[in-house]
């Protein structure tokens, strides 16, 4: 009885090893940069600048080929360049923060990603709050369909 269970265990482990060697990416919940059955990016995702995986360029999560949740992007110095938060509803809404080279926030605002069969479009919209390199607030910028305007979209209320 014990011998057959040991043989079954060995056969199962050898099958797993053989199958994992044929896969495009590592298999398991612990692995990064996986693909689903349709060969779309799925799960945690990290991109490194070097082969030793010491210098992280960006990290985030895919769900069946689409970015979800919070993504972080880093520069060559290791300081953050920008962060993006992909919202579930409304679809295509993204909250961004862009950073100065010293790591302080430069701008915060919203963007939209629209995808149709004919075209894909990314643009900033609404109020973008701006900050100097010391973190002190500057006058806000306003965007309509990705074009910067000099006036607020909605006049201030009483």
């Amino acid at each position: 009885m014990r011998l057959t269970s040991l043989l079954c265990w060995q056969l199962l482990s050898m099958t797993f090893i053989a199958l994992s060697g044929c896969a495009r990416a590592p298999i398991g919940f612990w692995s990064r940069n996986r693909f689903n059955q349709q060969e779309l990016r799925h799960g945690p995702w990290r991109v490194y600048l070097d082969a030793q995986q010491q210098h992280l360029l960006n990290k985030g999560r895919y769900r069946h080929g689409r970015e979800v949740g919070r993504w972080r992007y880093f520069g060559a110095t290791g300081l953050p360049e920008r962060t993006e938060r992909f919202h579930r509803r409304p679809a295509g809404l993204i909250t961004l923060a862009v950073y100065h080279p010293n790591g302080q926030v430069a701008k915060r605002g919203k963007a939209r990603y629209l995808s149709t069969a004919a075209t894909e479009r990314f643009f900033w919209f609404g109020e973008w709050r701006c900050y100097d390199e010391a973190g002190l607030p500057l006058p806000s910028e306003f965007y309509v369909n990705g074009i910067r305007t000099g006036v607020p979209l909605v006049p201030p209320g009483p």
Side-chain angles (χ1 to χ4, degrees):
M1 176 80 166
R2 183 172 164 90
L3 183 60
T4 56
S5 65
L6 181 62
L7 288 174
C8 289
W9 178 253
Q10 287 178 345
L11 181 61
L12 182 64
S13 64
M14 288 172 52
T15 304
F16 177 74
I17 291 170
L19 289 176
S20 65
C22 298
R24 178 176 172 186
I27 298 174
F29 67 89
W30 61 87
S31 62
R32 285 182 252 144
N33 298 358
R34 296 179 288 164
F35 297 87
N36 65 9
Q37 293 176 345
Q38 292 79 28
E39 295 294 319
L40 298 173
R41 295 174 179 185
H42 188 75
W45 201 268
R46 291 184 182 201
V47 176
Y48 292 91
L49 180 63
D50 55 349
Q52 296 80 20
Q53 297 186 354
Q54 297 294 318
H55 187 79
L56 184 65
L57 283 181
N58 64 39
K59 68 178 182 175
R61 177 175 288 281
Y62 282 98
R63 182 175 295 128
H64 304 291
R66 299 193 66 142
E67 294 100 343
V68 295
R70 186 176 10 172
W71 278 76
R72 295 179 183 181
Y73 296 85
F74 303 93
T77 61
L79 292 173
E81 282 187 347
R82 72 179 187 277
T83 59
E84 299 175 349
R85 182 170 177 263
F86 294 85
H87 298 270
R88 285 187 179 210
R89 290 191 179 88
L93 179 65
I94 306 168
T95 303
L96 284 108
V98 180
Y99 295 90
H100 286 290
N102 66 359
Q104 292 287 329
V105 175
K107 295 181 182 185
R108 285 186 196 268
K110 296 191 185 276
R112 185 164 312 276
Y113 176 74
L114 298 175
S115 178
T116 62
T119 184
E120 294 182 356
R121 188 159 177 251
F122 174 85
F123 58 90
W124 291 6
F125 71 93
E127 180 181 9
W128 278 71
R129 296 183 182 225
C130 301
Y131 305 91
D132 66 7
E133 291 192 8
L136 300 173
L138 295 172
S140 295
E141 297 176 353
F142 298 90
Y143 291 86
V144 176
N145 291 329
I147 300 171
R148 184 174 171 192
T149 63
V151 296
L153 299 175
V154 179

